[in-house]
């Protein structure tokens, strides 16, 4: 009995202490979960608020993506008749194909084209990137760092804008982010490394920048793995073989256009010879007659971009707010120092090394071509990760900085949100996203069975193709007519004529014109309907 009394007394004290400790841990865990969901909801709201109205209209590259994805879905060919191309022809200079193939199942599920359908894969990727950033941060350091990563990405003006419209190159950072998460989980199961290699292989189909970034990142990874011995050599080889198999079609496609070879067909897969010089040649050092001068200019442009975090393009940035509220350069330098210390001490050397490897692999892309925000998109997530690393380190040593930093960032985010959704930015975006052209074409098509003249230049043929694919009956007959054309040199498609100079001057045809153009006959002889930036003129129906 005495032993029973001793046993019941001592453990009660320990039990009370343990219960108190468990209570504190439970409270911290609940707070952690609350913060996670609060940040996630904030990020989702920033990406979905007024998503049908902003950006308005449809960018011409989005229209091109929609037309080719629809053609691939319906015929198994792009609009130029290439069967499942590794690299699409699009405007003639080529476009990476991954986003197009991601869009096909969305079209199949919905059954039609619309701006929201075309943007859906990018919207979904933008939303999934938020928990992806948290998971990456948690695997690299801890939950607190994961929350910083997700928070900075959630409020990043760059990522919010990039998540709301369909530019094919903007999918590259998301694919790389998920590949990085797989790389970090490799410590637990080597199969995650194989998944990462597959994702890096698919990343090569997302944007030509990846042709440099992926090999460099893998080289840095091999150096890291040689030092810390996370993955056995045989498993590395298996992953590399899988990556090489996935990458083979795009590698052959690049070789075809570098060497000026004929189109190559492997079963249903096409490696097309582009009708114009590929952009990854014409816009990079490969196509330069003065490599040193161009490289120096590119470094200057990239340095300015990193400092200012803006390129003046409405689809990439909102003035004054940049990528991450002008914190990027200082935050990146601080993060590199923090990560470097961890690596030097051999603590989390693999995890911190991978972040540094991503950043180091991305930087050379800015030397090869003149950069803007979307061409340099691969660098912005590691910039955010490094900035989060700086803030996490500072907040851990000076706790008062945590609420101050969060409050300042939320205030900046509110300012960005009001400006992004304000009238001035909406007016600017309206022009660059051609707001009004789609309903104008629909009305014109319904108003006549005869000729339609579309003003605004030859590139407007893409909106004609999109409009017919989305709402009309003539896409099947119009698609083959573009085969002889490249680089916007399309004067006519069926009953549509592009450019008022190519239209018959006095003929009674329907005009779809930018609001600053008028038809050749007196305006009073037309019924006019206005659609934001475009007007439709129907002859013979005026007062």
């Amino acid at each position: 009995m005495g032993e029973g009394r001793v046993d019941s007394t001592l453990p009660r004290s320990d039990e009370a202490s343990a219960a108190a400790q468990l209570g504190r841990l439970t409270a911290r865990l609940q707070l952690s979960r609350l913060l996670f969901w609060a940040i996630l909801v904030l990020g989702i709201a920033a990406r979905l608020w007024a998503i049908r109205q902003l950006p308005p209209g449809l960018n011409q590259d989005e229209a091109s993506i929609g037309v080719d994805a629809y053609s691939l879905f319906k015929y198994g060919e792009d609009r130029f008749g290439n069967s499942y191309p590794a690299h699409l022809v699009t405007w003639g200079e080529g476009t990476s194909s991954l986003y197009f193939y991601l869009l096909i199942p969305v079209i199949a599920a919905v059954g039609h084209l619309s701006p929201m359908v075309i943007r859906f894969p990018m919207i979904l990727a933008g939303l999934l990137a938020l928990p992806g950033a948290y998971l990456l941060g948690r695997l690299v350091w801890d939950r607190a760092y994961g929350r910083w990563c997700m928070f900075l990405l959630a409020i990043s003006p760059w990522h919010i804008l990039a998540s709301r419209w369909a530019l094919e190159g903007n999918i590259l950072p998301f694919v790389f982010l998920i590949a990085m998460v797989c790389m970090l989980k490799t410590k637990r199961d080597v199969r995650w490394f194989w998944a990462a290699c597959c994702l890096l292989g698919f990343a090569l189909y997302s944007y030509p920048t990846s042709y440099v970034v992926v090999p460099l990142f893998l080289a840095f990874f091999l150096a890291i793995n040689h030092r810390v011995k996370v993955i056995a050599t045989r498993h590395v080889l298996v992953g590399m073989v899988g990556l090489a198999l996935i990458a083979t079609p795009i590698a052959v496609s690049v070789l075809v256009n570098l060497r000026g070879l004929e189109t190559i067909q492997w079963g249903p897969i096409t490696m097309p010879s582009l009708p114009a010089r590929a952009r990854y040649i014409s816009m990079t050092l490969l196509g330069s007659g003065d490599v040193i001068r161009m490289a120096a200019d590119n470094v200057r442009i990239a340095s300015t971009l990193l400092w200012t975090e803006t390129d003046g393009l409405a689809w990439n940035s909102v003035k004054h707010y940049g990528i991450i509220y002008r914190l990027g350069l200082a935050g990146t330098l601080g993060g590199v120092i923090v990560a470097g210390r961890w690596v030097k001490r051999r603590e989390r050397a693999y995890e911190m090394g991978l972040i540094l490897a991503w950043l180091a692999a991305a930087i050379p892309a800015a030397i090869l071509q003149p950069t803007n925000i979307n061409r340099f998109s691969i660098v912005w997530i590691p910039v955010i990760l490094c900035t989060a690393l700086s803030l996490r380190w500072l907040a851990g040593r000076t706790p008062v900085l945590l609420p101050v930093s969060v409050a300042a960032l939320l205030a900046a985010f509110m300012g960005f949100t009001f400006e992004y959704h304000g009238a001035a930015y909406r007016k600017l975006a309206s022009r660059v996203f051609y707001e009004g052209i789609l309903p104008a074409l629909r009305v014109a098509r319904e108003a006549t069975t005869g000729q339609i003249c579309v003003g605004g230049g030859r590139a407007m043929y893409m909106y004609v193709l999109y409009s017919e694919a989305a709402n009309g009956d003539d896409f099947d007959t119009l698609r083959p007519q573009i085969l002889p054309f490249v680089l916007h040199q399309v004067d006519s498609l069926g009953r549509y004529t592009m450019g008022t100079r190519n239209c018959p001057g006095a003929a009674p045809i329907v005009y779809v014109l930018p609001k600053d153009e008028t038809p050749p006959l007196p305006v009073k002889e037309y019924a006019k309907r206005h659609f934001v930036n475009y007007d439709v003129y129907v002859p013979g129906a005026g007062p």
Side-chain angles (χ1 to χ4, degrees):
M1 294 293 292
E3 292 179 358
R5 290 192 186 94
V6 173
D7 290 339
S8 63
T9 302
L10 293 178
R12 283 178 183 169
S13 175
D14 294 341
E15 190 176 313
S17 176
Q21 186 176 8
L22 180 61
R24 288 192 295 270
L25 290 173
T26 301
R28 290 172 62 184
L29 183 59
Q30 289 175 341
L31 178 61
S32 176
R33 288 173 177 171
L34 179 63
L35 290 172
F36 171 87
W37 286 108
I39 295 168
L40 183 60
V41 169
L42 178 68
I44 291 172
R47 284 150 184 79
L48 296 186
W49 180 22
I51 188 64
R52 292 184 179 275
Q53 291 77 44
L54 192 65
L58 194 70
N59 182 272
Q60 61 183 8
D61 286 330
E62 292 182 295
S64 175
I65 289 171
V67 166
D68 268 313
Y70 179 80
S71 183
L72 285 164
F73 160 67
K74 192 170 183 181
Y75 311 107
E77 299 176 345
D78 69 0
R79 64 180 184 255
F80 285 92
N82 297 304
S83 171
Y84 299 108
H87 195 269
L88 281 91
V89 175
T90 58
W91 303 102
E93 300 166 307
T95 302
S96 295
S97 60
L98 179 63
Y99 195 89
F100 295 77
Y101 291 112
L102 293 175
L103 181 55
I104 290 173
V106 183
I107 296 174
V110 177
H112 65 270
L113 280 178
S114 72
M116 282 300 296
V117 168
I118 294 171
R119 291 168 179 170
F120 181 80
M122 195 63 239
I123 294 169
L124 182 61
L127 297 177
L128 292 177
L130 299 174
Y134 171 79
L135 182 56
L136 184 148
R138 196 183 74 180
L139 291 169
V140 167
W141 193 343
D142 58 11
R143 285 188 174 88
Y145 178 54
R147 290 193 296 272
W148 272 113
C149 292
M150 184 167 70
F151 176 62
L152 291 185
L153 190 65
I155 65 170
S156 164
W158 157 73
H159 197 255
I160 292 169
L161 266 65
S163 300
R164 294 173 68 99
W165 72 291
L167 185 65
E168 81 284 349
N170 284 339
I171 202 71
L172 173 59
F174 171 72
V175 177
F176 220 96
L177 172 65
I178 304 305
M180 278 284 289
V181 171
C182 293
M183 282 279 193
L184 291 164
K185 291 175 75 68
T186 293
K187 276 189 168 183
R188 303 178 183 179
D189 189 333
V190 73
R191 287 174 293 186
W192 287 108
F193 174 72
W194 300 336
C197 287
C198 291
L199 287 167
L200 291 173
F202 288 122
L204 294 167
Y205 295 84
S206 61
Y207 198 61
T209 303
S210 62
Y211 304 162
V212 174
V213 176
V214 170
L216 279 176
F217 176 77
L218 288 172
F220 291 134
F221 160 77
L222 291 174
I224 294 167
N225 190 59
H226 177 74
R227 184 181 182 190
V228 298
K229 307 294 184 187
V230 171
I231 308 171
T233 302
R234 66 182 183 279
H235 297 311
V236 172
L237 291 175
V238 171
M240 294 298 180
V241 169
L243 189 156
L245 290 174
I246 293 172
T248 297
I250 190 61
V252 173
S253 183
V254 171
L255 182 63
V256 162
N257 289 283
L258 283 174
R259 300 295 299 274
L261 306 177
E262 296 295 323
T263 293
I264 294 176
Q265 190 86 25
W266 289 347
I269 301 174
T270 306
M271 282 67 70
S273 176
L274 300 174
R277 203 176 193 193
R279 288 172 66 86
Y280 54 79
I281 300 174
S282 62
M283 294 188 64
T284 67
L285 298 182
L286 293 174
S288 174
D290 190 344
V291 172
I292 295 177
R293 181 176 180 179
M294 182 178 182
D297 288 342
N298 292 347
V299 169
R300 176 183 53 79
I301 294 169
S303 300
T304 302
L305 184 60
L306 287 168
W307 174 255
T308 63
E309 297 188 10
T310 185
D311 56 11
L313 300 174
W315 53 80
N316 280 336
S317 64
V318 174
K319 191 176 181 181
H320 307 308
Y321 294 97
I323 303 299
I324 185 67
Y325 308 104
R326 306 292 291 273
L327 290 175
L329 187 58
T332 300
L333 293 175
V336 168
I337 293 171
V338 173
R341 286 181 173 179
W342 283 77
V343 172
K344 188 176 181 180
R345 296 198 306 260
R346 291 183 174 269
E347 295 181 47
R348 299 191 176 274
Y350 178 72
E351 292 84 353
M352 296 292 177
L354 286 180
I355 291 179
L356 295 178
W358 186 353
L359 180 66
I363 293 297
I367 302 173
L368 297 175
Q369 65 175 346
T371 55
N372 59 27
I373 286 176
N374 60 268
R375 291 179 194 157
F376 206 19
S377 63
I378 188 62
V379 82
W380 303 126
I381 290 184
V383 163
I384 289 170
L385 296 178
C386 286
T387 303
L389 202 58
S390 299
L391 291 172
R392 167 69 179 89
W393 185 87
L394 288 170
R397 280 149 184 79
T398 311
V400 71
L401 288 177
L402 177 59
V404 171
S405 300
V406 171
L409 286 166
L410 285 175
F413 169 68
M414 291 177 62
F416 158 75
T417 300
F418 282 115
E419 186 158 345
Y420 177 57
H421 289 272
Y425 181 81
R426 170 63 189 258
K427 184 177 180 180
L428 181 61
S430 177
R431 293 197 300 270
V432 299
F433 283 89
Y434 296 82
E435 186 178 13
I437 185 60
L438 299 181
L441 285 171
R442 184 180 65 252
V443 166
R445 186 179 58 252
E446 294 170 352
T448 181
T449 58
Q451 293 293 306
I452 299 173
C453 180
V454 183
R458 290 170 168 176
M460 298 304 291
Y461 84 92
M462 190 53 60
Y463 288 104
V464 170
L465 280 174
Y466 170 85
S467 183
E468 290 295 340
N471 306 293
D473 301 319
D474 296 331
F475 183 73
D476 293 354
T477 58
L478 294 182
R479 187 176 69 99
Q481 296 180 32
I482 67 169
L483 293 177
F485 302 106
V486 296
L487 297 177
H488 321 307
Q489 303 301 307
V490 180
D491 293 326
S492 64
L493 284 174
R495 62 190 180 123
Y496 296 88
T497 303
M498 263 53 71
T500 51
R501 288 180 298 180
N502 299 315
C503 299
I509 62 177
V510 173
Y511 286 85
V512 178
L513 303 176
K515 61 184 179 181
D516 58 351
E517 292 186 26
T518 57
L521 296 177
V523 172
K524 66 181 181 179
E525 299 184 18
Y526 296 87
K528 175 183 173 183
R529 291 190 61 181
H530 181 63
F531 298 91
V532 189
N533 296 302
Y534 293 87
D535 295 316
V536 177
Y537 295 88
V538 180

